[in-house]
Amino acid sequence: MIYLDNSATTKPSISAINKASIFNTKHYFNPSTLYHEGLNCAKEIKNAKEAILNSLKTTSHEVIFTSSGTESDNMAVFCAVKRGVFVTSLGEHSAIYKSFLELKNRKLEVYFIDLEKDGSVNTDKLYELALNTKIDFLSLVHVNNETGAKNDVTKIAKRIKSINPSTIIHCDGVQAYGKIPFRLPQEIDLYSISAHKINGLKGTGALIKRKGLNISPLIFGGGQENGLRSGTENLFGIKVFEYALNEKFNNIENTYTLVKDTKEYFINNLDKSIFTIISGENSSPYILSVSAKGIRGEVLMHAIEKEGVIVGNGSACSSKNRYSRVIQACGYDNDVLDGVIRISFCTPLTNEEREKAVNVINEQANNLKGIML
């Protein structure tokens, strides 16, 4: 099997799991306890937090461990700012988009900024709004999980802060972290990440918070994570996250280059008489969104799967919808929306793997095109 749906989830690192297994078998103690073994477990969580901060090259932030990127996003949206003007884009992951719909249901002032054709935010419209309206909270995805479009969140954050220094800025970094070389600037107040997108385990995420920023808890209880996220910490998942991120960041720039080459191979070799490339030039090398003209994306996905190649057909969190909300917001018509599949990478493919994958995708698309005609 050739697995090409890594934006949905990645294969857990066996070496990271094996290294962390001691926290299931020997050092399994509750990190909140005050005896020696519990205190040692608390130190291990601290080490994991330091690894995350080092990977983002920041000393201006601190880490709150959560259960997922979705929880981190929700915590940012609902716990940092209680009232005022909330702004996001139409290209956000459902964890942000639906949270903003809930803010709207609560009668708060909410704005959704339009997208460019590639899925990035329309910065002209964002800055125009910022100049005319005091924005209290802004959330923008770093890398669009469907098109791979990269928002220059550092540049955007600096510009927004220059207009209104009190704006709280959150970025969903789930598809960027461990893949796109990036230094987290102090202008970004909150940044969400998830373990299972970088070969860690499902059930572990983190919200990176600027020091000095006051936020309230989303989950109440025993007061773990400095009172900001109650619940006994998932020490095993946290340590797997730490070891997996160390593996990713030790080779992040070289992997970026090799995966970019893999993506370019797909772009150059997919049948241009059938496929429309949706991902733009300024997109993550890890995500390639395309559309097969005249073919249902879901049908094509299953045909490809039967030949041993796994691709997605958009966000796994929105898979029940016929059309992608995000691709639709990019301005595409129904004939393109109907045929969308997402090819997403984690590590470079061998020449044999990428040749086979492209051949399978082309062959199945041509077979289905013949049936549809």
Side-chain angles (χ1 to χ4, degrees), residues 9 111 117 137 139 150 247 277:
T9 196
Y111 293 88
K117 196 74 172 180
F137 183 85
S139 181
K150 293 186 289 185
E247 292 174 4
I277 305 297

PDB file of all heavy atoms in Angstrom, residues 9 111 117 137 139 150 247 277:
ATOM      1  N   THR A   9      -3.991  11.915   8.766  1.00  0.00           N
ATOM      2  CA  THR A   9      -3.174  11.427   9.874  1.00  0.00           C
ATOM      3  C   THR A   9      -1.924  10.792   9.308  1.00  0.00           C
ATOM      4  O   THR A   9      -1.896  10.415   8.125  1.00  0.00           O
ATOM      5  CB  THR A   9      -3.946  10.413  10.749  1.00  0.00           C
ATOM      6  OG1 THR A   9      -3.262  10.250  12.003  1.00  0.00           O
ATOM      7  CG2 THR A   9      -4.082   9.060  10.072  1.00  0.00           C
ATOM      8  N   TYR A 111     -16.614  38.066  11.596  1.00  0.00           N
ATOM      9  CA  TYR A 111     -16.352  38.304  10.180  1.00  0.00           C
ATOM     10  C   TYR A 111     -15.556  37.137   9.603  1.00  0.00           C
ATOM     11  O   TYR A 111     -14.608  36.645  10.230  1.00  0.00           O
ATOM     12  CB  TYR A 111     -15.550  39.589   9.976  1.00  0.00           C
ATOM     13  CG  TYR A 111     -16.288  40.862  10.341  1.00  0.00           C
ATOM     14  CD1 TYR A 111     -16.249  41.354  11.645  1.00  0.00           C
ATOM     15  CD2 TYR A 111     -17.018  41.565   9.384  1.00  0.00           C
ATOM     16  CE1 TYR A 111     -16.914  42.523  11.993  1.00  0.00           C
ATOM     17  CE2 TYR A 111     -17.684  42.738   9.713  1.00  0.00           C
ATOM     18  CZ  TYR A 111     -17.633  43.207  11.021  1.00  0.00           C
ATOM     19  OH  TYR A 111     -18.296  44.356  11.365  1.00  0.00           O
ATOM     20  N   LYS A 117      -7.694  32.451  -4.875  1.00  0.00           N
ATOM     21  CA  LYS A 117      -7.997  31.239  -5.638  1.00  0.00           C
ATOM     22  C   LYS A 117      -7.302  30.003  -5.075  1.00  0.00           C
ATOM     23  O   LYS A 117      -7.811  28.884  -5.178  1.00  0.00           O
ATOM     24  CB  LYS A 117      -7.564  31.443  -7.097  1.00  0.00           C
ATOM     25  CG  LYS A 117      -8.141  30.435  -8.080  1.00  0.00           C
ATOM     26  CD  LYS A 117      -9.601  30.689  -8.354  1.00  0.00           C
ATOM     27  CE  LYS A 117     -10.129  29.806  -9.472  1.00  0.00           C
ATOM     28  NZ  LYS A 117     -11.556  30.021  -9.761  1.00  0.00           N
ATOM     29  N   PHE A 137     -10.027  39.668  18.159  1.00  0.00           N
ATOM     30  CA  PHE A 137      -9.458  38.320  18.046  1.00  0.00           C
ATOM     31  C   PHE A 137      -9.415  37.929  16.581  1.00  0.00           C
ATOM     32  O   PHE A 137     -10.418  38.011  15.868  1.00  0.00           O
ATOM     33  CB  PHE A 137     -10.298  37.313  18.828  1.00  0.00           C
ATOM     34  CG  PHE A 137      -9.740  35.912  18.820  1.00  0.00           C
ATOM     35  CD1 PHE A 137      -8.771  35.524  19.745  1.00  0.00           C
ATOM     36  CD2 PHE A 137     -10.170  34.982  17.883  1.00  0.00           C
ATOM     37  CE1 PHE A 137      -8.253  34.234  19.735  1.00  0.00           C
ATOM     38  CE2 PHE A 137      -9.659  33.696  17.865  1.00  0.00           C
ATOM     39  CZ  PHE A 137      -8.701  33.321  18.790  1.00  0.00           C
ATOM     40  N   SER A 139      -8.082  34.743  13.987  1.00  0.00           N
ATOM     41  CA  SER A 139      -7.563  33.384  13.849  1.00  0.00           C
ATOM     42  C   SER A 139      -7.362  33.077  12.374  1.00  0.00           C
ATOM     43  O   SER A 139      -8.299  33.210  11.572  1.00  0.00           O
ATOM     44  CB  SER A 139      -8.522  32.365  14.465  1.00  0.00           C
ATOM     45  OG  SER A 139      -7.999  31.057  14.355  1.00  0.00           O
ATOM     46  N   LYS A 150      -0.201  28.503   1.895  1.00  0.00           N
ATOM     47  CA  LYS A 150       0.497  29.030   3.065  1.00  0.00           C
ATOM     48  C   LYS A 150       0.124  30.496   3.279  1.00  0.00           C
ATOM     49  O   LYS A 150       0.286  31.313   2.375  1.00  0.00           O
ATOM     50  CB  LYS A 150       2.013  28.903   2.887  1.00  0.00           C
ATOM     51  CG  LYS A 150       2.525  27.481   2.872  1.00  0.00           C
ATOM     52  CD  LYS A 150       4.048  27.427   2.828  1.00  0.00           C
ATOM     53  CE  LYS A 150       4.583  27.863   1.484  1.00  0.00           C
ATOM     54  NZ  LYS A 150       6.059  27.696   1.378  1.00  0.00           N
ATOM     55  N   GLU A 247      12.498  13.772  15.809  1.00  0.00           N
ATOM     56  CA  GLU A 247      12.836  13.102  14.553  1.00  0.00           C
ATOM     57  C   GLU A 247      12.514  14.004  13.364  1.00  0.00           C
ATOM     58  O   GLU A 247      13.301  14.088  12.412  1.00  0.00           O
ATOM     59  CB  GLU A 247      12.077  11.781  14.441  1.00  0.00           C
ATOM     60  CG  GLU A 247      12.524  10.732  15.446  1.00  0.00           C
ATOM     61  CD  GLU A 247      11.652   9.482  15.415  1.00  0.00           C
ATOM     62  OE1 GLU A 247      10.749   9.393  14.555  1.00  0.00           O
ATOM     63  OE2 GLU A 247      11.875   8.581  16.264  1.00  0.00           O
ATOM     64  N   ILE A 277      -5.116  21.346 -11.390  1.00  0.00           N
ATOM     65  CA  ILE A 277      -4.341  21.541 -10.164  1.00  0.00           C
ATOM     66  C   ILE A 277      -4.951  22.704  -9.391  1.00  0.00           C
ATOM     67  O   ILE A 277      -5.062  23.818  -9.904  1.00  0.00           O
ATOM     68  CB  ILE A 277      -2.862  21.831 -10.472  1.00  0.00           C
ATOM     69  CG1 ILE A 277      -2.260  20.726 -11.359  1.00  0.00           C
ATOM     70  CG2 ILE A 277      -2.069  21.981  -9.170  1.00  0.00           C
ATOM     71  CD1 ILE A 277      -2.240  19.363 -10.729  1.00  0.00           C
TER      72      ILE A 277
END
